[in-house]
């Protein structure tokens, strides 16, 4: 279907109030893309894609002494692509990969991301004892009580002024 001005709906040349329509994805499978392993023995660890074997698998490497992921093939289904990329050649040696990994400050970028913080919080909560969960519940109740009191105060003031 054509839109006014002869532009097809859904094309990149179509404009909206925010400017040109962008592509749907910005994280592509590419050499140097940092990924998070989401299944298997290395679940939760970072790795770097160093070669694409076929449409289903990639050759990844940690480097192992930094992230704990050894060089191996992993199916794409077990990888979650992060927005972090580093400049490495195809099938880079461990030394080259380590140098690029450290120069790109991958771990610092990852630890600063909301994704990593959320995973860390999830891990922390999973290790809570019963008493920790109890203290957390009391803190939430106290916070909620304070918020509701302030809200009631503001509503009362608004009602008086109106």
């Amino acid at each position: 279907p054509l839109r006014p001005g002869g532009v097809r709906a859904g094309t990149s040349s179509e404009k909206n109030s925010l400017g040109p329509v962008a592509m749907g994805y910005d994280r592509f499978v590419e050499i140097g893309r940092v990924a998070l392993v989401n299944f298997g023995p290395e679940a939760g660890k970072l790795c770097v894609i160093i070669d694409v074997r076929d449409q289903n698998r990639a050759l990844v490497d940690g480097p192992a002494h930094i992230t704990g992921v050894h060089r191996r093939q992993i199916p794409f289904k077990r990888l979650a692509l992060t927005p972090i990329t580093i400049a490495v050649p195809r099938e880079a040696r461990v030394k080259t990969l380590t140098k690029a990994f450290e120069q790109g400050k991958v771990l610092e970028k990852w630890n600063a991301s909301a994704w990593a913080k959320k995973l860390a919080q999830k891990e922390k909560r999973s290790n809570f004892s019963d008493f920790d969960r109890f203290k957390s519940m009391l803190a939430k109740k106290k916070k909620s009580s304070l918020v509701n009191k302030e809200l009631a105060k503001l509503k009362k003031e608004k009602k008086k002024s109106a």
Side-chain angles (χ1 to χ4, degrees):
L2 292 177
R3 296 264 170 106
V7 177
R8 283 195 182 278
T11 60
S12 60
S13 61
E14 180 183 349
K15 297 205 177 205
N16 59 19
S17 61
L18 301 174
V21 175
M23 288 180 56
Y25 302 106
D26 58 352
R27 297 179 196 169
F28 299 106
V29 174
E30 59 186 318
I31 294 168
R33 174 72 62 185
V34 177
L36 179 72
V37 181
N38 58 24
F39 185 82
E42 284 110 3
K45 297 178 181 175
L46 291 178
C47 64
V48 180
I49 297 174
I50 54 175
D51 195 11
V52 178
R53 292 295 188 201
D54 60 26
Q55 66 185 12
N56 296 315
R57 296 173 298 152
L59 180 67
V60 299
D61 195 350
H65 65 279
I66 297 175
T67 65
V69 178
H70 293 277
R71 186 171 294 220
R72 56 174 269 179
Q73 291 184 34
I74 296 184
F76 290 123
K77 289 181 181 181
R78 295 185 180 192
L79 295 175
L81 302 178
T82 69
I84 305 166
T85 57
I86 57 175
V88 291
R90 187 171 174 228
E91 295 195 18
R93 295 179 355 191
V94 175
K95 186 176 178 181
T96 308
L97 182 63
T98 302
K99 188 176 179 183
F101 198 87
E102 290 169 350
Q103 282 180 346
K105 298 181 180 175
V106 173
L107 289 179
E108 289 85 7
K109 288 178 185 176
W110 171 249
N111 290 330
S113 71
W115 189 357
K117 289 175 184 174
K118 187 163 73 170
L119 287 176
Q121 183 68 21
K122 187 177 179 182
E123 178 67 26
K124 181 181 170 188
R125 285 184 175 270
S126 71
N127 293 326
F128 268 11
S129 67
D130 188 38
F131 187 59
D132 291 331
R133 284 190 291 276
F134 175 73
K135 289 191 294 188
S136 176
M137 178 201 61
L138 290 181
K140 283 181 188 177
K141 281 178 140 181
K142 189 173 185 179
K143 178 183 170 188
S144 179
S145 174
L146 290 172
V147 167
N148 286 334
K149 283 180 185 176
E150 286 298 315
L151 184 62
K153 221 185 276 185
L154 290 172
K155 284 182 178 179
K156 192 174 183 182
E157 288 176 10
K158 186 177 179 183
K159 196 174 183 182
K160 272 187 180 178
S161 65

